[in-house]
Structures are given as structure tokens and as C-alpha cells.
């Protein structure tokens, strides 16, 4: 099967009516774009992988820009599967930029690495002063029902977040499946443990706000939730969730969005609205 060199480029802008529209769009296989939907708060864009999944040698590039005053949600209708690789690797680069007064939520469905897969992804989030964003990653351990949990060879996820040119977060996740399984075991989670990690930046999130206590109260039982502030006074926060109950994890993510939504109204938008 031939390797894919796919890209998607989007630029959201605020129209004179106050609605957000896609001022520019360009994409090629494996990317496909559903019809955008404006719900009065944000423009919802579903990015679809029109192929079966990601294979060895595939190179994917994503560029999303949000203009001043625009409000955009980028999500997907289904999981991204990284298929078994007898050799080689797949790689992806992502860059998201938001101008002053703009809002961006990146809310993907799970990344599911199959046995013996190798995948590298590098993400950069650049926010202007006064811009707001929520960027999330969602990782499942593989095809649990087929006995492939934690069976990938290598998974490398790099993330940089800059606000007004200042680096506020840099993470480098680089593990085999077995290494990450050991980390999940420390939390008492079984072979089906999944991870959801998010970074949210907004000066409207007061450290003593009710949202903060609401999120911390979600920790317990089969769901572990951690919340920490980024360095500086830019209103940046990290939220991390791990659970071996996929239904409860998804419900917890919904509760986290709801807790933020009192301060960030765009999070009242329904991610599943087509």
C-alpha cells in the first residue's frame, strides 16, 4: 500500500455578522473535512480520516489558525488507529495558532496504537496575548479485546505551548507500550487503562474559582484526575485523567468541560453535533 503524505490547513475568521467562518481550507488524503456547523458559540469542524487508519511511512501535517475574535472547535468522529508495522514508522506534525480574542478547542477522539506500531507526533500551540484555547490528547492502550493492550513498539508525543511568544509548557512523551503499562499499574489501573490530557489557557480561569474545586472533586475510585497550574500568570492549566473504565473516563471529560464552561462559554458546545 502506498505511503500517504497528507495535509490539512484551516483558517477560521470572524465574519462581520459575528459568526465564525472558514476563510481558508485545503486538505488531501487521508484528511477529509465535514460540513462546518456554527452553533452560536463556536464553529464545529469534524476532521475525518477517510482511510482505514495510519500506516508505516505515512506523514501527516495539520495547520489550524484562528483569527481575532473567531471561535473554533476541531474534533473527529472516530478514533485514529495506528496499524501494525513490520518496519518503519508514521509521523505527524500539528501547529495551532490563535490570535488575540480568539478561541480554539482541539478535542480528538482516542489515538489507538496497534501491536508493533511506531508513531511520532509533534504539536505546537502558539497563542497571542489574550487568546484562549483548550488542547487535548486522548490515548487508549490498543485493541484490548484482541490482546494487544500496551503492545505498540514506540509512541512519541511532543507538545509545546507558547503564549505571547513565551514557552509555558514543553512535554516529551516517548515510551514503549510496556513502559506505559507500568505507569498505569502504579495508579492501580488494569490493562484497559486510557489517558486524557489537556492544556487550557485563559485569564478568565481564576485559581480560586468554583471550576477548580469541581474538577479536583472528580478524583476517586476508577478515575484519577490531576490538576496543576502552569508557571506564570497567564491562566494556564494542565488536567490529566486516567481510568480503566472508558465509559466513566468519557463521562469525566464531559464533567471537566462543564466545569470550565461557566468561565469559557464555548465549552457548552456539543462536540457530537454534526
Amino acid at each position: 500500500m502506498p505511503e500517504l503524505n497528507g495535509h490539512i490547513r484551516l483558517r477560521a475568521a470572524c465574519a462581520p455578522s459575528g459568526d465564525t467562518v472558514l476563510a481558508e481550507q485545503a486538505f488531501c488524503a487521508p484528511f477529509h473535512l465535514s460540513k462546518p456547523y456554527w452553533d452560536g458559540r463556536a464553529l464545529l469542524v469534524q476532521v475525518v480520516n477517510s482511510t482505514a487508519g495510519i500506516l508505516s511511512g505515512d506523514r501527516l501535517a495539520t495547520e489550524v489558525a484562528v483569527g481575532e475574535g473567531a471561535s473554533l472547535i476541531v474534533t473527529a468522529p472516530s478514533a485514529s488507529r495506528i496499524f501494525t508495522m513490520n518496519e518503519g514508522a508514521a509521523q505527524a506534525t500539528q501547529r495551532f495558532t490563535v490570535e488575540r480574542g480568539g478561541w480554539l478547542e482541539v478535542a480528538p477522539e482516542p489515538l489507538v496504537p496497534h501491536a508493533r506500531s511506531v508513531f511520532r507526533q509533534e504539536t505546537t500551540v502558539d497563542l497571542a496575548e489574550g487568546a484562549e484555547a483548550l488542547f487535548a490528547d486522548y490515548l487508549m492502550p490498543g485493541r484490548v479485546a484482541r490482546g494487544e493492550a500496551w503492545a505498540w513498539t514506540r509512541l512519541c508525543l511532543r507538545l509545546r505551548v507558547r503564549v505571547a511568544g513565551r514557552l509555558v509548557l514543553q512535554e516529551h512523551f516517548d515510551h514503549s507500550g510496556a513502559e506505559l503499562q507500568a505507569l498505569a499499574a502504579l495508579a492501580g489501573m488494569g490493562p484497559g487503562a486510557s489517558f486524557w490530557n489537556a492544556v487550557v489557557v485563559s485569564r478568565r480561569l481564576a485559581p480560586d474559582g468554583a471550576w477548580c474545586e469541581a474538577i479536583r472533586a472528580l478524583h476517586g475510585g476508577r478515575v484519577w484526575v490531576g490538576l496543576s497550574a502552569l508557571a506564570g500568570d497567564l491562566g494556564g492549566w494542565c488536567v490529566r485523567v486516567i481510568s480503566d473504565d472508558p465509559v466513566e473516563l468519557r463521562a469525566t471529560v464531559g464533567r471537566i468541560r462543564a466545569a470550565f464552561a461557566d468561565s469559557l462559554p464555548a465549552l457548552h458546545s456539543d462536540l457530537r453535533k454534526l
Side-chain angles (χ1 to χ4, degrees):
M1 184 173 291
E3 301 171 353
L4 292 177
N5 188 2
H7 70 266
I8 183 166
R9 291 192 296 272
L10 305 174
R11 184 171 69 85
C14 187
S17 63
D19 297 358
T20 295
V21 298
L22 286 183
E24 295 180 12
Q25 57 176 295
F27 53 89
C28 66
F31 293 110
H32 177 73
L33 199 64
S34 71
K35 184 178 179 180
Y37 175 81
W38 170 253
D39 70 354
R41 301 185 188 92
L43 183 70
L44 177 66
V45 172
Q46 299 264 4
V47 177
V48 182
N49 185 337
S50 57
T51 67
I54 299 172
L55 301 171
S56 177
D58 287 355
R59 297 177 299 279
L60 310 175
T62 298
E63 294 184 27
V64 176
V66 178
E68 184 172 351
S71 180
L72 180 68
I73 299 173
V74 179
T75 185
S78 60
S80 296
R81 297 187 175 274
I82 315 299
F83 283 114
T84 296
M85 301 174 186
N86 294 323
E87 60 181 11
Q91 62 185 22
T93 58
Q94 301 182 120
R95 186 178 182 194
F96 303 97
T97 60
V98 187
E99 295 180 17
R100 177 184 292 273
W103 164 260
L104 171 66
E105 180 180 7
V106 180
E109 284 296 292
L111 185 68
V112 185
H114 290 202
R116 302 193 308 280
S117 62
V118 179
F119 182 65
R120 299 181 179 92
Q121 177 176 280
E122 185 159 345
T123 302
T124 302
V125 180
D126 272 308
L127 307 178
E129 178 66 38
E132 298 175 316
L134 188 155
F135 173 84
D137 273 320
Y138 187 177
L139 173 65
M140 294 185 70
R143 297 188 293 179
V144 178
R146 295 180 63 90
E148 290 186 8
W150 316 106
W152 70 79
T153 298
R154 209 75 196 170
L155 181 63
C156 179
L157 305 175
R158 295 182 177 180
L159 172 64
R160 296 184 187 89
V161 180
R162 293 189 288 252
V163 179
R166 173 183 170 188
L167 183 66
V168 297
L169 178 69
Q170 181 164 274
E171 295 185 333
H172 184 185
F173 172 100
D174 188 353
H175 291 287
S176 68
E179 289 168 342
L180 191 58
Q181 182 181 23
L183 293 176
L186 292 175
M189 301 294 172
S194 298
F195 298 81
W196 185 85
N197 301 313
V199 179
V200 59
V201 176
S202 172
R203 290 188 183 276
R204 289 188 279 179
L205 293 172
D208 56 352
W211 67 270
C212 191
E213 185 58 33
I215 291 176
R216 289 195 167 112
L218 297 173
H219 176 80
R222 296 181 67 181
V223 180
W224 282 30
V225 180
L227 174 67
S228 59
L230 299 182
D233 59 351
L234 299 173
W237 298 83
C238 284
V239 187
R240 305 189 190 278
V241 183
I242 177 173
S243 177
D244 58 5
D245 182 341
V247 175
E248 187 59 29
L249 186 145
R250 190 174 289 273
T252 300
V253 170
R255 295 180 188 115
I256 290 170
R257 290 183 79 246
F260 281 131
D262 286 343
S263 302
L264 304 171
L267 289 172
H268 285 296
S269 295
D270 182 356
L271 295 178
R272 299 273 65 82
K273 181 69 177 180
L274 298 177

